[in-house]
């Protein structure tokens, strides 16, 4: 009888553990759902409010837009009689695209040099590059503004784009460098034996293998350039040069009535390019961040 009781207890143990595991999973799932709803509620409310008549936005705080209307999108897109949001979107896309191209070219070449090449003062230059990541942008914006003003480049996109072609983003250099360090050096040696130069090794062998890190660079660069406000408001002074982030500022006026409905509508549209980019490249983003964090 004692043996039968012992066997019965042993058979019940896995069942209890399975129930406990299932219960813990449901608890974690519930907590994650609540946290997700709490974080997404402001975004969902903004999208919902963009379809509400402006006079009812703050009267009806629910997510269901009573009196559904597209008027906010029509009014918001027109913005004013001189410049529409078509111009703002075009400027944002142009600046973000050029920033992506600049970072891809400059940061990948710099990362390859630090990861694979040997040259004098390599350690010093690498330390200086890492040091730039610790310097806040506000500490360098004044001397940069003075230099660009002397060259007459204010109110152009050059101050926003040119630094990207000079490998000033230490974060992306380090990201790509860590990924390259995780690739076997035997690939370089085999390509060199086949007659490839150092540039050929980079462009033909290493660069195609760095797709996750490069796509991660593309996504973050595009998002940061698209959402940039501080730098753009300093260098872009005239409305035809403004971007989406500066255009949204037009709807808020401390001395007059603010147009919250059109602002919510244009804010919703401004999220579309970022969401599309993230949806298409989400797999590579996760892979790039994960692998660069483990290799090297």
């Amino acid at each position: 009888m004692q043996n039968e009781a012992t066997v019965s207890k042993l058979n019940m143990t896995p069942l209890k553990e399975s129930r406990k595991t299932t219960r813990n999973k449901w608890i974690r799932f519930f907590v994650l759902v609540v946290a997700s709803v709490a974080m997404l509620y402001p975004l969902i409310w903004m999208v919902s409010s963009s379809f509400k008549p402006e006079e009812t936005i703050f009267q009806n705080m629910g997510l269901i837009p009573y009196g559904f209307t597209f008027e906010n999108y029509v009014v918001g897109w027109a913005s004013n009689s001189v410049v529409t949001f078509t111009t703002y979107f075009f400027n944002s896309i142009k600046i973000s695209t050029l920033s992506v191209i600049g970072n891809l070219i400059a940061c990948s070449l710099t990362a390859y040099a630090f990861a694979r090449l040997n040259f004098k003062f390599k350690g010093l230059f690498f330390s200086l590059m890492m040091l730039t990541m610790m310097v806040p942008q506000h500490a360098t914006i004044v001397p940069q503004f003075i230099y660009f003003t002397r060259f007459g480049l204010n109110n152009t996109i050059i101050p926003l784009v040119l630094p990207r072609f000079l490998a000033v983003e230490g974060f992306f250099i380090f990201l790509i460098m860590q990924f390259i360090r995780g690739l076997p050096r035997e690939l370089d040696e085999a390509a060199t034996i086949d007659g490839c130069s150092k540039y050929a090794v980079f462009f033909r062998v290493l660069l195609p293998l760095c797709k996750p890190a490069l796509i991660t660079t593309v996504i973050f660069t595009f998002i940061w350039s698209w959402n940039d406000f501080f730098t753009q408001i300093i260098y872009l002074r005239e409305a035809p040069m403004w971007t989406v982030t500066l255009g949204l500022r037009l709807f808020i006026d401390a001395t007059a009535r603010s147009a919250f409905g059109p602002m919510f509508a244009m804010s919703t549209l401004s999220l579309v390019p970022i969401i599309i980019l993230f949806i298409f490249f989400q797999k590579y983003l996760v892979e790039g961040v994960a692998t660069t964090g483990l290799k090297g």
Side-chain angles (χ1 to χ4, degrees):
M1 294 295 293
Q2 185 176 0
N3 292 336
E4 292 180 359
T6 303
V7 172
S8 178
K9 288 182 180 180
L10 292 176
N11 291 334
M12 291 295 294
T13 300
L15 181 60
K16 290 181 179 180
E17 291 179 354
S18 176
R19 290 178 178 175
K20 183 178 180 180
T21 302
T22 303
R23 184 173 63 253
N24 291 338
K25 287 182 179 180
W26 278 106
I27 292 174
R28 286 196 296 267
F29 176 76
F30 177 77
V31 172
L32 290 174
V33 169
V34 172
S36 300
V37 171
M39 288 186 293
L40 292 176
Y41 180 83
L43 177 62
I44 298 174
W45 183 84
M46 180 190 73
V47 175
S48 173
S49 299
S50 68
F51 296 103
K52 299 176 182 178
E54 188 171 357
E55 61 274 7
T56 66
I57 290 178
F58 296 104
Q59 296 176 1
N60 172 25
M61 298 298 291
L63 298 180
I64 301 177
Y66 297 105
F68 190 92
T69 179
F70 285 100
E71 182 181 0
N72 292 327
Y73 287 86
V74 176
V75 174
W77 192 268
S79 184
N80 56 62
S81 58
V82 179
V83 181
T84 66
F85 253 81
T86 303
T87 302
Y88 300 149
F89 267 88
F90 176 76
N91 291 337
S92 289
I93 292 174
K94 179 169 60 175
I95 292 173
S96 299
T97 302
L98 290 175
S99 298
V100 167
I101 295 174
N103 268 348
L104 283 179
I105 296 174
C107 294
S108 60
L109 287 172
T110 307
Y112 170 66
F114 281 128
R116 287 293 201 257
L117 305 183
N118 294 317
F119 51 91
K120 196 173 183 179
F121 303 119
K122 176 180 176 180
L124 175 62
F125 290 139
F126 179 76
S127 300
L128 292 175
M129 185 272 294
M130 295 298 294
L131 184 63
T132 60
M133 298 173 60
M134 307 176 191
V135 179
Q137 180 187 14
H138 303 79
T140 60
I141 192 66
V142 173
Q144 286 181 1
F145 180 80
I146 293 174
Y147 276 115
F148 285 123
T149 301
R150 289 180 178 177
F151 286 106
L153 298 176
N154 281 341
N155 202 38
T156 67
I157 67 172
I158 294 179
L160 305 174
V161 173
L162 180 61
R164 303 293 193 274
F165 287 87
L166 301 178
V168 299
E169 299 285 356
F171 172 78
F172 297 116
I173 296 174
F174 185 75
L175 180 78
I176 301 173
M177 185 187 70
Q178 288 294 94
F179 196 93
I180 295 177
R181 281 181 174 179
L183 300 176
R185 285 186 175 270
E186 287 78 6
L187 297 174
D188 305 36
E189 297 171 358
T192 303
I193 293 174
D194 289 340
C196 291
S197 64
K198 295 185 182 301
Y199 287 102
V201 170
F202 172 68
F203 286 106
R204 296 184 180 181
V205 179
L206 297 180
L207 199 61
L209 298 175
C210 293
K211 184 186 293 185
L214 296 178
I215 292 181
T216 303
T217 301
V218 169
I219 294 175
F220 280 113
T221 301
F222 187 90
I223 292 176
W224 292 350
S225 299
W226 185 271
N227 292 333
D228 182 28
F229 178 83
F230 177 70
T231 308
Q232 294 174 2
I233 199 174
I234 289 178
Y235 290 111
L236 305 179
R237 299 180 179 178
E238 298 179 2
M241 297 299 300
W242 284 359
T243 59
V244 171
T245 53
L246 299 183
L248 291 174
R249 189 177 62 123
L250 296 175
F251 300 112
I252 301 297
D253 191 347
T255 61
R257 183 172 177 268
S258 298
F260 289 103
M263 183 185 68
F264 291 152
M266 293 303 99
S267 298
T268 300
L269 290 181
S270 69
L271 295 175
V272 173
I274 297 176
I275 294 175
I276 294 175
L277 188 71
F278 182 79
I279 290 175
F280 277 96
F281 298 111
Q282 179 183 8
K283 180 181 70 174
Y284 296 103
L285 173 65
V286 175
E287 182 181 352
V289 173
T291 52
T292 49
L294 296 176
K295 295 181 180 181

